[in-house]
């Protein structure tokens, strides 16, 4: 009973949560559902019948028959006393309507005036572009300290001094100079206004909030974006979102301004001899239709290529590939999955059955060992990175395979800092130790796996000592890592592009799957092989059929031709499609004449940029559909202005196969249109509007459900109540968090003995360093979006990381510009000296055109067409000292 009302809740529920579930509000200042309750503020005191003392509602669990009172004169007096004490030092700020934060709200409710000094503006820490710090408003609830430590695992906020003198302060002279990663969790939790978003309009008034999915990485966090007068002004993570559980990173939480950037292209543009000219949509569409028709008439449909966008919705990508196949008549359609996780999709599909993660992010909390391969998780997938760091802090053994000493590697139980390009020998050697030590799961192997004896014979050759000599890590460390992984069942692996972007990227993924199969770590919670997909919808773009060989659902064309021809009412092209880099090769060779690029800056992000430039320059027609001018559009003939994902409805598919709704937060900016609308308009202008009559996302999604049985049970109505993971074949199916729990679709699976073929990209006297590339936390891909936000202040430029010893040897100081020269080209960027990279190695971020790091990277590729971004032999020279 709470306040005389009967409340039924599950055992283990707190009094506070029980009261809230019944709509009874109990005041509290230190409670946050993301944190363990502490009862520290004591504002939530309640009276429990027959109890000797008042109890804190947040820490007291209910039991059957408990009789609780939340409002009595004694309780009100207790609460008033606590608030009066806190108000004594709280700045006597002018109260706002509505009150700016929960603490001010309580003061108003209890009629208590604050009596502290107002801190002069110069004593307020405004160093950070997103967060204002005014610790005169701190009420010592320590929620910021706890959320930073327990959720983000970052430890920015520290307690200084003791007792009444305790103050909270960032670990640095200012917040900007602290290790803060701007996830915003401390601001979200602060109840007193000590930490605030700087950019909230002063007279904010009520904001209209819309729940949607983050437009950045493949984690797929759900956030609410707040709008005022048609502009996005705020964001907050969704507390009950299964993926992020009330957390976010600096990109989703703060980097939304790009939608309103002044240089957004909002009108169609056509280029002629005099440069770009704005034209009406009708003319732009007619022009594109005519140019494509001319190319097809002259050279045939396979002279045209189309690239879908990993930033666009599933529905947009579905229509994009349908446009390529039905309207243009070519299978030349691909997306950026080609240059990142195509090896993951191929490796997983060829060995297990589905080209997607076997498990879910939820499994991180269930794993008894974690293996991170080639993934800088805290920068590229920050919310997942925070969960992995939390697991490590709880004592879960963590193995990190990465040439660099990344943030997560610093917390690892074992860090194998291997030589770039040597994943395969290392994973083979780990498998060899598992078998030598008889740590394999014999029952699992007997039930599900073939080829064990052959694999055992093969892998016996890969002793830790042999691998150690190749990989540059000790044999003992390799053996220890194998034992930790195999001994920690369930053990979960996550991997990134450090595993896939190699000439044997697919084989690297297969070797990781071998290890998981050997140890029975497939088909169970807390286990599996899980590629961390890079862009928000890269899994979806490929799964929708933006792939030259696969139709929607990831099914090979020849297996499903008749089914799709019947569904679409038209024949599918018979010729084999070209993958992304093959399209560019064909363009250079004069066989591909037109390229239609949706939301993708290939010139900046593809390897060997000089080669990409030559290919694009050779085209007769280059059409770019994007939000902003990009490096690629600098060579385009037509620019079609697309909506951002804040401006349309649809779905994204995250890295764990979860379909989530994307909802329109603001109206389309200027004349921009959704990718689907533009594609359908062009189809109609080319006389093939029949398959594109409907572009409403829900109608397109229903068509996708009809052609892809694994998502048939996922309806927009169901998605209103949260995301669902495929396979989900019927509308009463709950979705699938863990694949292969009931075995494998084709019965048994096989271990793969995989020969090792060392990369041709070798260092020598001229090119003595091994360069790898990757992301920084603050920028995203080609930085088209993040560079137009204050994230640019937090990380404005690409950098080249070098070991201090190498810096000293080359006479370089922090910040000096260096020329990075490879066999393909030259990039110039400032140097950072850090112990994160080993001597002889270098690491560069690749986000900006200024540095153009992909001038130097290698376009040697894996059989599935993924380039070897992660191994480039380079020479490094001073380029003059920066001022
Ligand atoms: Fe967005 Fe990824 Fe950050 Fe989540 S972790 S807020 S999905 S960028």
């Amino acid at each position: 009973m709470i306040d005389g009302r009967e409340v039924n809740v599950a055992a283990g529920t707190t009094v506070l949560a029980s009261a809230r579930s019944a709509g009874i509000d109990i005041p509290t200042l230190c409670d946050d559902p993301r944190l363990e309750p502490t009862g520290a503020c004591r504002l939530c005191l309640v009276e429990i019948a027959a109890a000797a003392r008042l109890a804190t509602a947040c820490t007291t669990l209910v039991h059957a028959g408990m009789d609780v009172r939340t409002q009595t004169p004694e309780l009100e007096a207790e609460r008033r006393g606590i608030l009066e004490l806190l108000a004594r030092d709280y700045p006597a700020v002018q109260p706002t309507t509505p009150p700016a934060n929960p603490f001010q709200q309580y003061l108003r409710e209890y009629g208590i005036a604050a009596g502290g000094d107002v801190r002069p503006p110069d004593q307020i820490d405004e160093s950070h572009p997103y967060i204002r710090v005014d610790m005169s408003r701190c009420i010592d609830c320590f929620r910021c300290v706890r959320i930073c430590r327990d959720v983000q695992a970052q430890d920015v906020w520290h307690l200084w001094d003791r007792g009444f003198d305790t103050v909270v302060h960032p670990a640095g002279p200012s917040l900007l100079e602290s290790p803060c990663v701007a996830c915003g969790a401390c601001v979200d939790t602060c109840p007193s206004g000590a930490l605030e978003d700087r950019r909230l309009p002063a007279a904010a008034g009520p904001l209209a909030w819309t729940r949607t999915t983050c437009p950045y990485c493949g984690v797929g966090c759900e956030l609410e974006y707040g709008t005022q007068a048609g502009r996005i002004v705020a964001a907050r993570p969704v507390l009950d979102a299964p993926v992020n559980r009330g957390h976010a990173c600096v990109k989703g939480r703060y980097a939304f301004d790009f939608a309103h950037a002044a240089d957004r292209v909002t009108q169609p543009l056509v280029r002629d001899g005099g440069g770009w000219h704005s034209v009406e949509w009708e003319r732009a569409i007619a022009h594109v239709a005519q140019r494509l028709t001319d190319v097809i008439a002259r050279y045939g449909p396979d002279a045209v290529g189309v690239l879908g966008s990993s930033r666009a919705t599933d529905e947009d990508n579905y229509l994009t590939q349908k446009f390529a196949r039905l309207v243009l008549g070519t299978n030349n359609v691909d997306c950026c999955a080609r240059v990142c996780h195509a090896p993951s999709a191929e490796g997983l599909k060829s060995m297990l059955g589905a080209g997607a993660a076997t498990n879910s992010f939820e499994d991180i909390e269930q794993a008894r060992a974690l293996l991170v391969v080639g993934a800088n998780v805290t920068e590229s997938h920050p919310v997942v990175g925070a969960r992995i760091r939390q697991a490590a802090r709880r004592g879960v053994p963590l193995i990190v395979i990465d040439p660099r000493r990344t943030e997560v590697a610093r917390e690892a139980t074992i860090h194998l800092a291997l030589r770039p390009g040597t994943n395969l020998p290392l994973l083979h050697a780990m498998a060899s130790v598992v078998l030598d030590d008889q740590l394999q799961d014999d029952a699992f192997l007997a039930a599900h796996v073939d080829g064990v004896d052959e694999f055992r014979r093969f892998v016996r050759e890969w002793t830790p000592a042999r691998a150690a000599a190749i990989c540059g890590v000790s044999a003992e460390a390799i053996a220890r890592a194998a034992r930790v992984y195999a001994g920690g069942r369930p053990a979960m692996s996550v991997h990134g592009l450090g595993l896939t972007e190699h000439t044997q990227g697919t084989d690297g993924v297969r070797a990781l799957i071998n290890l998981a199969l050997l140890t029975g770590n497939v088909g169970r919670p807390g286990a599996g092989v899980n590629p961390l997909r890079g862009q928000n919808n890269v899994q979806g773009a490929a799964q929708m059929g933006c792939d030259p060989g696969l139709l929607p659902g990831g099914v090979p064309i020849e297996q499903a031709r008749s089914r799709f021809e019947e569904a679409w009412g038209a024949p599918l092209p018979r010729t084999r499609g070209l993958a992304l880099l093959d399209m560019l090769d064909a363009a250079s060779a004069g066989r591909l004449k037109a390229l239609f690029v949706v939301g993708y800056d290939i010139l900046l992000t593809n390897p060997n940029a000089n080669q990409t430039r030559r290919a694009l320059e050779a085209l007769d027609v280059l059409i770019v559909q994007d939000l902003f001018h990009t490096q690629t559009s600098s060579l385009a003939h037509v620019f079609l202005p697309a909506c951002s994902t804040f401006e349309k409805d649809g779905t994204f598919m995250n890295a764990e196969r979860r379909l989530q709704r994307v909802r329109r937060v603001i109206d389309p900016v200027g004349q921009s249109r959704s990718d689907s609308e533009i594609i359908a308009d062009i189809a109609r202008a080319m006389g093939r509007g029949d398959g594109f009559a409907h572009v409403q996302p829900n109608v397109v999604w229903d068509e996708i459900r009809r052609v892809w049985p694994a998502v048939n049970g996922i309806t927009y109505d169901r998605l209103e109540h949260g995301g669902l993971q495929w396979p989900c074949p019927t509308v009463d199916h709950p979705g699938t968090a863990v694949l292969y729990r009931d075995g494998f679709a084709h019965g048994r699976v096989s271990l793969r003995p995989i020969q090792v073929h060392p990369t041709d990209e070798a260092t020598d006297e001229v090119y003595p360093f091994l360069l790898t590339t990757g992301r920084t936390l603050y920028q995203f891909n080609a930085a088209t979006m993040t560079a137009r936000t204050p994230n640019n202040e937090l990380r404005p430029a690409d950098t080249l990381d070098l070991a201090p010893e190498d810096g000293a040897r080359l006479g370089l100081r922090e910040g000096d510009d260096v020329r990075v020269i490879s066999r393909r080209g030259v990039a110039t960027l400032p140097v950072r000296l850090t112990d994160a990279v080993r001597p002889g190695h270098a690491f560069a971020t690749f986000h900006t055109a200024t540095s153009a790091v992909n001038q130097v990277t290698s376009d040697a590729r894996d059989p599935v067409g993924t380039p070897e971004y992660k191994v480039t032999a380079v020479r490094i020279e001073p380029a003059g000292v920066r001022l």
Side-chain angles (χ1 to χ4, degrees):
M1 303 294 291
I2 304 181
D3 292 342
R5 285 165 58 185
E6 188 176 310
V7 180
N8 288 296
V9 290
T13 310
T14 63
V15 171
L16 182 64
S18 306
R20 282 182 178 160
S21 74
I24 297 168
D25 187 37
I26 301 176
T28 169
L29 283 170
C30 67
D31 177 70
D32 184 311
R34 294 163 288 190
L35 299 170
E36 284 296 313
T38 61
C41 77
R42 299 188 64 74
L43 210 60
C44 70
L45 285 171
V46 292
E47 210 175 87
I48 298 171
R53 283 192 298 265
L54 299 178
T56 46
C58 66
T59 55
T60 306
L61 302 185
V62 292
H63 58 75
M66 186 185 244
D67 189 357
V68 180
R69 284 180 188 282
T70 70
Q71 310 266 329
T72 68
E74 188 192 352
L75 290 172
E76 288 305 293
E78 284 283 346
R79 288 176 187 147
R80 171 177 295 281
I82 294 165
L83 289 169
E84 281 174 350
L85 206 62
L86 293 173
R88 214 180 284 162
D89 292 330
Y90 193 81
V93 284
Q94 203 60 31
T96 58
T97 307
N101 55 61
F103 181 64
Q104 290 184 7
Q105 171 84 35
Y106 289 139
L107 294 189
R108 172 178 293 210
E109 278 171 26
Y110 283 78
I112 298 168
D117 294 337
V118 177
R119 193 176 276 202
D122 64 350
Q123 288 183 25
I124 296 172
D125 180 354
E126 301 223 46
S127 60
H128 197 282
Y130 292 127
I131 300 169
R132 176 188 295 112
V133 184
D134 177 1
M135 280 303 166
S136 67
R137 295 180 175 205
C138 175
I139 56 169
D140 292 345
C141 69
F142 308 137
R143 278 162 69 168
C144 58
V145 179
R146 291 191 291 141
I147 207 159
C148 190
R149 181 191 64 206
D150 299 347
V151 175
Q152 176 56 34
Q154 196 67 21
D155 301 315
V156 169
W157 296 104
H158 286 228
L159 299 181
W160 297 68
D161 252 326
R162 283 158 187 266
F164 287 116
D165 294 328
T166 303
V167 289
V168 178
H169 200 278
S174 67
L175 185 60
L176 189 64
E177 295 160 278
S178 78
C180 174
V181 290
C183 68
C186 56
V187 176
D188 292 334
T189 198
C190 176
S192 66
L195 304 172
E196 281 185 325
D197 281 343
R198 280 184 62 184
R199 296 178 312 150
L200 264 185
L207 304 182
W209 293 95
T210 307
R211 179 172 177 157
T212 188
T213 307
C214 174
Y216 288 105
C217 86
V219 174
C221 297
E222 284 187 87
L223 295 108
E224 290 179 315
Y225 287 89
T227 53
Q228 202 177 55
R231 290 178 74 89
I232 304 174
V233 295
R236 62 187 182 197
V238 173
L239 276 179
D240 64 357
V243 171
N244 48 314
R245 305 184 301 189
H247 196 36
C249 82
V250 60
K251 292 187 282 284
R253 176 72 170 77
Y254 289 115
F256 47 73
D257 297 301
F258 68 87
H260 306 290
D263 63 343
R264 188 78 192 260
V265 182
T266 57
Q267 257 208 301
L269 303 173
V270 172
R271 193 201 292 274
D272 62 19
W276 288 113
H277 295 284
S278 299
V279 296
E280 295 304 317
W281 267 112
E282 210 175 309
R283 200 172 137 213
I285 296 290
H287 181 72
V288 168
Q290 191 59 53
R291 298 289 307 257
L292 292 174
T293 303
D294 289 349
V295 169
I296 293 169
R298 193 145 172 220
Y299 303 103
D302 287 332
V304 187
V306 177
L307 297 175
S309 174
S310 297
R311 278 177 281 144
T313 61
D314 294 311
E315 293 77 1
D316 291 332
N317 279 293
Y318 176 80
L319 290 184
T320 300
Q321 60 82 36
K322 192 175 170 188
F323 171 79
R325 293 187 161 112
L326 295 197
V327 179
L328 302 178
T330 180
N331 283 315
N332 291 345
V333 57
D334 210 349
C335 68
C336 78
R338 184 65 46 202
V339 297
C340 58
H341 269 295
S344 299
E346 175 61 23
L348 285 158
K349 192 174 171 63
S350 62
M351 284 185 71
L352 302 179
T358 61
N359 286 59
S360 307
F361 297 140
E362 286 293 325
D363 293 81
I364 294 169
E365 280 76 36
Q366 299 180 54
R368 296 223 183 112
L370 286 161
L371 170 60
V372 177
V373 188
N376 180 13
V377 276
T378 55
E379 299 211 52
S380 298
H381 302 85
V383 164
V384 165
R387 282 168 80 164
I388 290 174
R389 289 181 73 194
Q390 288 166 31
R393 288 178 173 204
R394 283 195 307 274
V396 176
L398 171 64
I399 307 152
V400 173
I401 300 176
D402 199 305
R404 289 191 301 145
R405 199 154 161 255
T406 56
E407 214 170 5
V408 80
R410 289 176 199 271
E411 302 213 11
T413 319
I414 303 166
H415 173 207
L416 301 172
L418 79 178
R419 185 171 293 131
T422 62
N423 290 308
L424 207 46
L426 192 145
L427 292 168
H428 282 346
M430 285 176 70
S432 160
V433 173
V434 169
L435 286 166
D436 260 6
D437 288 12
Q438 301 192 9
L439 296 172
Q440 73 276 10
D441 185 336
D442 286 322
F444 181 86
L445 292 173
H448 302 291
V449 183
D450 289 331
V452 179
D453 290 340
E454 186 194 351
F455 184 74
R456 187 192 298 273
R457 281 193 295 278
F458 165 77
V459 94
R460 191 174 288 145
E461 305 295 317
W462 282 103
T463 61
R466 180 179 173 199
I470 296 169
C471 305
V473 293
S474 77
E476 187 272 330
I478 296 173
R480 206 154 55 88
R483 289 173 191 132
V484 167
Y485 175 78
R489 275 172 235 166
M492 179 181 188
S493 74
V494 298
H495 68 267
L497 306 183
L499 183 63
T500 60
E501 288 179 339
H502 295 280
T503 46
Q504 276 195 289
T506 305
D507 286 340
V509 175
R510 289 185 178 126
L512 188 59
I513 299 169
N514 280 339
L515 205 51
L517 287 174
L518 267 185
T519 50
N521 277 309
V522 178
R524 57 190 299 188
V529 177
N530 300 284
L532 293 170
R533 308 303 303 253
Q535 298 204 46
N536 49 344
N537 201 32
V538 62
Q539 179 84 44
Q543 213 74 45
M544 289 299 117
C546 286
D547 185 301
L550 302 174
L551 292 168
V555 54
I557 295 174
E558 293 317 321
Q559 268 178 33
R561 173 178 293 280
S562 55
R563 183 160 63 82
F564 275 84
E565 288 182 339
E566 192 179 330
W568 289 345
L572 293 178
R574 296 235 156 232
T575 45
R576 195 183 152 86
L578 296 175
L580 165 54
L581 295 190
D582 298 334
M583 285 188 214
L584 296 177
D585 290 348
S588 296
R591 295 193 307 277
L592 193 94
K593 297 292 184 183
L595 189 61
F596 189 165
V597 184
V598 181
Y600 185 5
D601 189 357
I602 46 174
L603 182 51
L604 185 69
T605 58
N606 266 13
N608 197 352
N610 291 323
Q611 176 57 27
T612 305
R613 175 178 290 279
R614 283 191 288 275
L616 296 180
E617 283 173 344
L619 292 166
D620 288 355
V621 188
L622 175 59
I623 302 153
V624 165
Q625 187 162 302
D626 216 313
L627 310 183
F628 302 100
H629 275 301
T630 62
Q631 289 296 294
T632 304
S633 78
S634 70
L635 301 175
H637 305 99
V638 184
F639 189 105
L640 303 174
C643 289
S644 76
T645 50
F646 289 132
E647 296 151 49
K648 59 187 173 185
D649 284 294
T651 58
F652 286 159
M653 188 186 299
N654 80 347
E656 42 164 26
R657 297 170 278 104
R658 189 183 301 271
L659 266 307
Q660 302 189 111
R661 275 299 314 276
V662 174
R663 296 183 184 85
R664 184 192 266 214
V665 178
I666 52 172
D667 288 337
V669 171
Q671 292 185 28
S672 64
R673 293 182 179 177
S674 76
D675 295 304
S676 292
E677 286 174 290
I678 301 170
I679 298 277
D681 282 347
I682 301 169
R684 278 190 279 275
M686 293 180 75
R688 294 299 311 274
D690 37 322
F692 300 83
H694 303 287
V695 292
Q696 299 95 318
N698 58 331
V699 179
V700 178
W701 179 254
D702 282 341
E703 182 178 322
I704 297 166
R705 290 173 57 218
R706 286 195 293 277
V707 298
W708 183 15
V711 295
N712 186 267
I714 301 177
T715 64
Y716 265 40
D717 278 351
R718 290 188 76 188
L719 291 179
E720 283 307 311
H721 307 289
L724 286 163
Q725 289 166 280
W726 59 265
C728 180
T730 56
V731 288
D732 53 1
H733 191 286
T736 307
V738 179
L739 293 179
Y740 317 118
R741 287 190 89 154
D742 301 321
F744 299 94
H746 305 299
R748 295 175 68 79
V749 295
S750 297
L751 293 167
R752 295 272 183 110
I754 302 160
Q755 297 300 331
V756 176
H757 305 292
T759 170
D760 291 337
E761 184 73 9
T763 51
D764 58 21
E765 280 182 7
V766 183
Y767 303 104
F769 285 90
L770 271 185
L771 173 78
T772 60
T773 62
R775 285 188 196 170
T776 130
L777 170 66
Y778 299 101
Q779 300 291 354
F780 183 74
N781 204 259
T784 31
M785 301 193 297
T786 43
R788 292 173 170 88
T789 72
N791 273 29
N792 237 24
E793 295 171 39
L794 294 166
R795 186 71 187 263
D798 285 319
T799 47
L800 181 88
D801 288 356
L802 270 187
E805 302 90 306
D806 287 332
R809 202 162 43 76
L810 295 170
L812 295 169
R813 287 175 312 175
E814 183 91 6
D816 285 353
D817 275 342
V818 290
R819 268 191 298 277
V820 181
I821 305 158
S822 78
R823 298 179 178 106
R824 284 156 290 273
V826 183
T828 305
L829 66 173
V831 79
R832 279 197 323 186
L833 301 175
T834 164
D835 68 354
V837 294
R838 287 167 49 159
H841 294 180
F843 169 82
T845 56
F846 63 88
H847 302 288
T848 66
T850 328
S851 56
V853 166
N854 281 312
Q855 302 266 5
V856 302
T857 48
S858 161
D859 59 347
R861 53 199 92 149
D862 178 271
V864 299
T866 303
E868 191 185 36
Y869 285 102
K870 299 296 183 192
V871 191
T872 305
V874 296
R875 154 170 107 245
I876 295 164
E877 294 175 348
V881 179
R882 276 154 69 86
L883 297 176

